[in-house]
C-alpha cells in the first residue's frame, strides 16, 4: 500500500490579536447571537504583514529542520489562497525564493475560497503517489488574510460590521507532504467530494466581500452530509459515529461547526441531544481550540483545525481523524488519515499555542486605526514604503526571526527579517 501524508506541519497566525468579545460590544452586535460564534480572539494582519509573510513564517521552521539533501527534494510549492494581490503572478514564487528552495521546482497557486488548502494538499498527495519523481516532497502553503477597510470617517468599504468581522482572522498553515507522513498519514482513496454552483459568498472586487450568510450555512450543511455519504460509498464499513476518533471541520465560526455536527449525528447516528453534545466536546472541540483564537483563515482553516486536533487530542495510540473542508461557491471534501503519538510529539515541538500566546493584544482604538491604514495596501498598490511604526513592538514578540513586508516597488514586494 502506498504511504503518503503530512511529514511536517506548522501554523503562523501573525503578531497581534484582538479580543472579539470587546469588538462585538464596540460594534453594538447582538451579544446573545455573538455567543454562537464560540470564539475568543482573532488574529489581525498589520500593515507590514501579508499572505506571503504569513506563509513563509509558517514554513520557515519546517524548512530549517531539513538537511540540505531533504530541502532539495522539495519539487513543488503550492500557495492556496483567496488573498492574492496579483491576477497573474503566483505568490508561490516569492515564498520559494524567501525560503531558499531548489529552482527545479513546480510553482503555482490555487483558488477555491476556503477549500483551496485541501485542494492543494490533495494535489500534493497525488504528486507524491504518482512516483513521477520518487522521494520528492511538496510544500503546501495555505495562507489568507482578512483586511476590513473603512474610510477616514468610519464608513465601511468592504464590510457591514456584521458577525463576519469578529469571526474573520489571518494566518497560514504550512504542510510538507511526502512519503514519510510523520504527522498525518493519509487514508489513500478515502475521499468523498461534493460541489455545485451556489452564490453563497464571493469577492466581486479584490477588496470587498459579498454573499448570503443563510445560504452559506445551508450549503455548508448540505456539503458536509453529501461529502461524507460519498466517502462512505468508497470506504466499506465507514461509520460517522464510530470510525473516527476525532473530527476536524473547516471552522468559519464554532456555531456553524456545532450545527453541522448536530445535523450529522442526528441523521447518521440517530443520536440524542445529550449524546451529541458529549460527542461534540470529545471529538470536535480539540480541533476548535486554535480556531477559537485565530478566527476563520479561509483556505487554511481546515488545516488549522487538523493541526489543533493533533495538538490537543488524546493520542496514546494511532487515531483516525476525519477532516471536512468546505469552500464557498462551492466545493467540499471529506477525507481521513491517521495521527500517532510520535506525530503529536513532533507537532507539539512547533509550540503553536506558545506562539499564539506571544501575540500582542490590540486595543479597540488601535484596531480602528488599523482599518484606516489598510487603505494604503489596497489591491494593485504600485509603490509604497511601508510604515512600520504602527505597534512596532509587535515585530519582535515571537522570539525568533520573523518576515515582514518592507516596500512595494513597481508592484514588486520586498521583505525583511526582523529578530
Amino acid at each position: 500500500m502506498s504511504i503518503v501524508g503530512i511529514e511536517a506541519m506548522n501554523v503562523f497566525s501573525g503578531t497581534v490579536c484582538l479580543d472579539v468579545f470587546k469588538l462585538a460590544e464596540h460594534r453594538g452586535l447582538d451579544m446573545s447571537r455573538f455567543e454562537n460564534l464560540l470564539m475568543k480572539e482573532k488574529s489581525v494582519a498589520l500593515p507590514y504583514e501579508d499572505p506571503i509573510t504569513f506563509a513563509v513564517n509558517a514554513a520557515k521552521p519546517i524548512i530549517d529542520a531539513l538537511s540540505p539533501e531533504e530541502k532539495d527534494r522539495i519539487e513543488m510549492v503550492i500557495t492556496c489562497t483567496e488573498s492574492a494581490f496579483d491576477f497573474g503572478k503566483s505568490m508561490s514564487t516569492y515564498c520559494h525564493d524567501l525560503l531558499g528552495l531548489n529552482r527545479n521546482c513546480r510553482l503555482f497557486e490555487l483558488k477555491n475560497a476556503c477549500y483551496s488548502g485541501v485542494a492543494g494538499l490533495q494535489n500534493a498527495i497525488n504528486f507524491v503517489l504518482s512516483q513521477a519523481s520518487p522521494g520528492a516532497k511538496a510544500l503546501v502553503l495555505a495562507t489568507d488574510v482578512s483586511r476590513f477597510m473603512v474610510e477616514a470617517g468610519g464608513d465601511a468599504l468592504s464590510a457591514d460590521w456584521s458577525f463576519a468581522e469578529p469571526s474573520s482572522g489571518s494566518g497560514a498553515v504550512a504542510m510538507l507532504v511526502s512519503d514519510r507522513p510523520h504527522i498525518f498519514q493519509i487514508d489513500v482513496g478515502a475521499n468523498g467530494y461534493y460541489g455545485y454552483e451556489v452564490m453563497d459568498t464571493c469577492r466581486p472586487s479584490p477588496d470587498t466581500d459579498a454573499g448570503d450568510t443563510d445560504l452559506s450555512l445551508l450549503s455548508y450543511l448540505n456539503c458536509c452530509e453529501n461529502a461524507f455519504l460519498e466517502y462512505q460509498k468508497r470506504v466499506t464499513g465507514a461509520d460517522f459515529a464510530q470510525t473516527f476518533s476525532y473530527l476536524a471541520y473547516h471552522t468559519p465560526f464554532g456555531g456553524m461547526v456545532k450545527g453541522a455536527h448536530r445535523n450529522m449525528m442526528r441523521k447518521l447516528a440517530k443520536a440524542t441531544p445529550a449524546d451529541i453534545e458529549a460527542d461534540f466536546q470529545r471529538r470536535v472541540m480539540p480541533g476548535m481550540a486554535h480556531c477559537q483564537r485565530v478566527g476563520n483563515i479561509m483556505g487554511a482553516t481546515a488545516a488549522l483545525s487538523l493541526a489543533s486536533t493533533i495538538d490537543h487530542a488524546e493520542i496514546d495510540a494511532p487515531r483516525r481523524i476525519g477532516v471536512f473542508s468546505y469552500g464557498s461557491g462551492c466545493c467540499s471534501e471529506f477525507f481521513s488519515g491517521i495521527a500517532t503519538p510520535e506525530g503529536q510529539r513532533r507537532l507539539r515541538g512547533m509550540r503553536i499555542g506558545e506562539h499564539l500566546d506571544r501575540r500582542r493584544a490590540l486595543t479597540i482604538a488601535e484596531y480602528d486605526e488599523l482599518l484606516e491604514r489598510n487603505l494604503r495596501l489596497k489591491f494593485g498598490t504600485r509603490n509604497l514604503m511601508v510604515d512600520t511604526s504602527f505597534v512596532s513592538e509587535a515585530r519582535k514578540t515571537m522570539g525568533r526571526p520573523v518576515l515582514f513586508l518592507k516596500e512595494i516597488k513597481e508592484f514588486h514586494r520586498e521583505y525583511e527579517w526582523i529578530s
Side-chain angles (χ1 to χ4, degrees), residues 75 86 97 104 108 113-114 116 119 146 151 195 204 251 255 266 279 320 327 329 340 353 358 362 371 375 408 412:
E75 297 182 14
D86 190 297
D97 179 61
N104 300 119
F108 61 97
C114 299
S116 65
S146 298
E151 295 174 337
T251 307
R266 280 175 177 169
D279 189 72
R320 176 162 282 109
T340 64
R358 284 179 174 270
L362 291 176
L371 299 183
L375 286 169
I408 302 175
H412 188 265

Side-chain angles (χ1 to χ4, degrees), residues 216-227:
S216 189
L217 172 59
L218 292 173
S219 183
Y220 183 103
L221 294 174
N222 183 33
C223 283
C224 187
E225 181 177 348
N226 283 286

Side-chain angles (χ1 to χ4, degrees), residues 113-132:
C114 299
Y115 175 66
S116 65
V118 167
L121 174 61
Q122 295 296 347
N123 268 269
I125 288 166
N126 289 328
F127 168 62
V128 174
L129 286 174
S130 75
Q131 289 293 289

Side-chain angles (χ1 to χ4, degrees), residues 238-254:
D239 181 276
F240 187 78
Q242 301 297 326
T243 298
F244 314 100
S245 298
Y246 295 95
L247 292 161
Y249 287 85
H250 167 61
T251 307
F253 61 92

Side-chain angles (χ1 to χ4, degrees), residues 50 75 94 132 165 182 186 226 236 306 353 355 360 396:
D50 67 7
E75 297 182 14
Y94 282 101
E165 187 188 13
H182 300 308
I186 294 294
N226 283 286
T236 303
L306 176 60
H355 291 148
R360 197 270 217 186
K396 298 183 178 182

Side-chain angles (χ1 to χ4, degrees), residues 270-290:
K270 309 302 181 186
T272 66
D275 288 342
I276 292 171
E277 177 62 27
D279 189 72
F280 178 79
Q281 294 296 327
R282 180 176 61 84
R283 290 201 296 163
V284 181
M285 278 303 295
M288 288 178 54
H290 289 330

